Each structure stands twice: as structure tokens, then as C-alpha cells.
Amino acid sequence: AWLVGSKQNGAVTLALDKTAVRAYLKEIAKDIEYAPKQAVFVLAENQEKVDQFQMGQAGLELLQPENLAILQKTIISGEETHLLTRTVAPQLAVAPEAVELGIKELVGQGTTNFKGSPPNRVKNIKRGAELLNNTLIAPDEEFSLLDHLRPFTRENGYLAELVIKAAENKTVPEIGGGLCQIGTTMFRAVLNAGLPITARSSHSYRVSYYEPPVGMDATIYDPAPDFKFINDTGVWLILTTRVQGTELTFELWGTKDGRLAQSSKPEVFNIRKPPEKKIIETTDLPLGKIKCTEKAHIGSDARFTYKVTYPDGRITEQEFTSRYRPWQEVCLVGVASTPDGATSSTTKPADTLPSADVTGVVGNADAQN
């Protein structure tokens, strides 16, 4: 439909209808072009957070006259072609108010994936990220993750989800369960930024949400353990968070000072098998019904080295070691009555487990000691 006849030097040749091509370019531009975004920085009244924060983002423009000429030249000849675009810089790349605080660029980022998490865990992760988003961190401040996530109550938007009670060898629901996803993501962002870490604890057992790599997780639980780090950059930092699908990303914005952060590949060793499965007979379940309350996990140790090289040549090194316990699988099985006629649960060897449908299998949970 674009083809028309064109008379050149007394001969009629094929050419393109410029009006039709321009209309085509205008139509596809709707799916290609996007406007630049100007930088925004609006400080909250309490001076501890930012109501609105955005670094300037470039836009994209489809070049109309240039692409018309390209199509006229190539389509008739059958040549392959690519349309031209132009990057459009924002008028304001960094807000002046942010510049005054030293917030100019991305200095560190961490991402984790929570695919397969139950609904309450997802809601807790999103709520924790919401509370942390646009948090300002002052120069020389020791940042406490627990301080910014408290209180762990329903009134603050948290729901009951699984946590590990290591001292009791149990995984049980508690308000705020799942927030170790927040701790682990924060840990990785800080490692990437090269900031000094003053408090970090690993989980009691290995949790698949955080692997690979093994040994780069961080558990939090009120009042302890906490995850803490120091902003030693000499300028303010702002923490931004976002959830895209099942990915959680934390970004630290400030001013790069030339430091180089390096983390070695974690070494996994001292592998240990989990204990034999534990079967508990109970009259609280229908006859023959099985409900597994604990999932088996292999035990292992892991370690990696965190090295930061500063512009003045100073080097700091920190070794992070994680010891993950082998975790016993525990399953309940419904019986008519226990051997002694009581209604309380009793323990039986694993090889006595009857053949039945397994329901209510507990997945991975966060370690909170």
C-alpha cells in the first residue's frame, strides 16, 4: 500500500508514499518513545525520610525525517534496515536538594527472589520494603534494620508467617515472619556498596529462597539478631526499595568515593546429613492423615571474604562464616488413639509411617533465633 509510481528523468520507477510512511512511523512511535523523567527530591517533615525521590531518567525519541529517508532508500531495494532513535536527556538529572546532601548516583544494589513464598510471607516482604523505601541514612550513622521495621504487629501491617525457633527445633508462625528476605537483600546491597557491617547473623538452617549463593544471607528477629552497617561515605545515603514480580531490590544512592568492594565466592564445607525423620502420632488429625511440620535440611558451613579497598590505599577485610544446622523432618500422623489411650501426641520411629496422603507440608521459613 506504500508503493507509488515516481517519474524521474523521463522514466517511471517505484517509490514510497511519504504520507503513508509518516503515518506508520507516527503510529509505532507510541510503543517506542517515552519522555524523560525529571529528578525529584521532596524531604519529609520529620527529616528522616523522603516523601518523593527519583533520579532523572533519559527518554527515547524515534527520529522521523531520518527514518523516512532510510525507509525510502532500503525498502525498494530489499535491504535490511534498523530505525534510528535518539536519547533525550532530562532537564534535571539530579535534584539540587539531593545534591546538597551528596545524593548523586547509585552506590550499591542487592536483589533476592522470593518465588514460591506463601501469601502472608509475600505481604510481610512488601510491607517491610514499603517501610524502608526512601529512608535517609546520615553520614557516620549506624543503621539498624530492626529499628526501621518495628513494631512487628498487625497494626503495623504485618501478618503471621513461619519463623525458625532454633532453641526449640521448631518452625512456627509469628507476626512478621519472612522478613529475613529483607535482611538478606539489605546485606547484599551493603556488600555491593562496600560499607562496614557491624552486625550480621546467618540462618539456623539453609533456606532455598537465598540460594545460590550459600552463606550470603542475614537473619533478623526482634530484639536480636539485627543487621547493622555504618554509612562511612561522608555524605547522606538514601535507601530505595522495589518489588517487581517475585524480585526484591534495594538500592543505596549517594556519592561514590572510589572504594572497591569485593566478595569472594562462598566456600561450602562440613556437609552433614539431617537426622532421621521423626513421626508423631496424634489424635488431632483424621485417621491416617499425615501433616509434616518440619522439612529436612542438610547441615553445612559456608564462608566468604569481604574486602574493601579505599582510594587512599587502605584495605579492610572481613570473613563472614555461616553454620547451618542439619534439620530434622517432623511429620504428624492421625491415629484413633495413642498407645496409652491418651489424646496427646506420641513419637514413633519413621519406618512405622503408614501409607497416606501428605497434607500441609511446611516449606522453607526464615531463621529467627
Side-chain angles (χ1 to χ4, degrees), residues 21-32:
V21 177
R22 287 194 186 100
Y24 166 77
L25 291 172
K26 185 177 180 180
E27 184 63 27
I28 66 170
K30 298 176 183 178
D31 296 323
I32 296 174

Side-chain angles (χ1 to χ4, degrees), residues 140-158:
D140 300 320
E141 175 186 343
E142 183 178 43
F143 180 91
S144 161
L145 195 51
L146 287 179
D147 284 350
H148 289 80
L149 294 172
R150 291 188 180 107
F152 300 98
T153 61
R154 290 187 182 275
E155 291 73 19
N156 197 26
Y158 295 120

